[in-house]
Amino acid sequence: MKKLTIALLALLQAFAVQVGAQATVKPAHPQQGSTVELHFDAKASPLLQEKDVQVLALGYAYKESAYLDVSFNKMGDKWVATVPISDKLLAFSYALKAGERLDNNNGEGYFVQMCDVNGNPLNESHIAKAILYRDMGAALELDRMPALALPWMEKAIEKQADLERKYLPSYINLILAAQRGEDGKARVRAILDKVAADANAAEADLLTVMNA
C-alpha cells in the first residue's frame, strides 16, 4: 500500500509539472487600453530551476499581430509580468521561455482575452484566440489543432453574425481543417453561396468566394 501511495504521489507531481504555470491575470477581466499583470506561481512551472526565464507574449488585433513589450520580475517563486495593452488589442497568448525550454501549457497555450465593461470577453476576442492558436501558434510552439480552435470561432460568430464576413478566409480555412471530407466542404459551400447571393457583399468577400 505504501508503495502504491508513493507511486500515486509521484504521478500527481509529474502531472502538476506538465500542467505548467498558468498565470493569475490582474485585473481578472482586462480591457483594451489598460495594463495587465500576470502573476505566476513558479513552483508549478517546469522552468522553476532555470535562471534566465523570460515571458513571451504575442498579441492580436484585427489583421495585426506583434510581440508585446513585457516587463518581468522574479521574486523567489513569485513571478510577475506586466503587459501594456493597446486600445485595439483583442487577445494575447503567452509562454515562459528559458533557452530552448518552453512552458506553453503542453502545447495548448495560455491566453488572455480582452473584456467589455461588464467583464465579458469581447466576442471578437474569441476569434483572436483561435487565430493566435491556429494561425500563429508556431511562434510559441503550440499544437495548432483545428478541432480545438474551431469552437472558439464558432462561439464568436454565433453571438455576433457579422464576424463571419469579417474573418471569412480564416473561418472557412479552419472549417476545412477541422472537418475534413464532404461535411466540411458542404458547410463551406453553404457559407460561400450565401456570400455570392448577397448583392451587398464586399469585394474582398467575393474574391474569397472566387478563390475558394
Side-chain angles (χ1 to χ4, degrees):
M1 178 62 72
K2 184 177 180 180
K3 290 183 178 179
L4 178 59
T5 301
I6 293 173
L8 288 172
L9 287 173
L11 181 62
L12 289 172
Q13 289 172 349
F15 179 76
V17 169
Q18 291 174 357
V19 168
Q22 180 163 3
T24 299
V25 180
K26 296 183 178 181
H29 307 290
Q31 297 181 25
Q32 293 170 315
S34 65
T35 298
V36 170
E37 288 187 348
L38 305 175
H39 290 250
F40 298 91
D41 181 359
K43 291 180 292 186
S45 174
L47 305 183
L48 174 60
Q49 303 301 324
E50 299 287 346
K51 293 181 179 180
D52 186 18
V53 179
Q54 59 179 315
V55 176
L56 302 178
L58 180 62
Y60 182 82
Y62 178 56
K63 291 187 176 180
E64 297 179 4
S65 63
Y67 284 104
L68 306 180
D69 292 326
V70 180
S71 60
F72 186 45
N73 294 305
K74 297 170 62 178
M75 297 165 285
D77 59 9
K78 302 298 181 183
W79 300 348
V80 179
T82 303
V83 187
I85 304 300
S86 74
D87 57 3
K88 294 182 179 180
L89 193 78
L90 295 167
F92 68 89
S93 56
Y94 65 89
L96 291 166
K97 180 177 176 62
E100 297 300 317
R101 300 187 66 194
L102 201 66
D103 177 359
N104 63 1
N105 194 23
N106 291 324
E108 293 187 8
Y110 300 116
F111 301 92
V112 178
Q113 296 173 242
M114 297 303 106
C115 299
D116 60 23
V117 294
N118 297 315
N120 300 310
L122 300 173
N123 290 330
E124 199 166 351
S125 76
H126 296 296
I127 292 184
K129 179 182 177 182
I131 290 174
L132 284 166
Y133 174 77
R134 173 62 183 170
D135 297 350
M136 302 173 183
L140 298 181
E141 299 181 20
L142 305 185
D143 293 338
R144 304 177 62 243
M145 296 177 62
L148 183 61
L150 181 58
W152 302 336
M153 197 168 283
E154 290 172 332
K155 181 177 183 179
I157 292 171
E158 181 180 349
K159 292 184 175 182
Q160 188 177 335
D162 65 300
L163 293 176
E164 181 180 84
R165 295 285 180 91
K166 188 172 182 178
Y167 291 92
L168 185 61
S170 293
Y171 187 39
I172 62 175
N173 287 338
L174 187 52
I175 291 172
L176 291 173
Q179 299 180 340
R180 296 184 179 275
E182 291 305 314
D183 288 345
K185 292 178 182 178
R187 183 177 174 185
V188 167
R189 279 196 297 270
I191 294 172
L192 296 178
D193 287 347
K194 183 172 62 176
V195 174
D198 183 358
N200 298 316
E203 182 179 353
D205 295 335
L206 293 174
L207 287 174
T208 299
V209 174
M210 293 173 61
N211 294 328

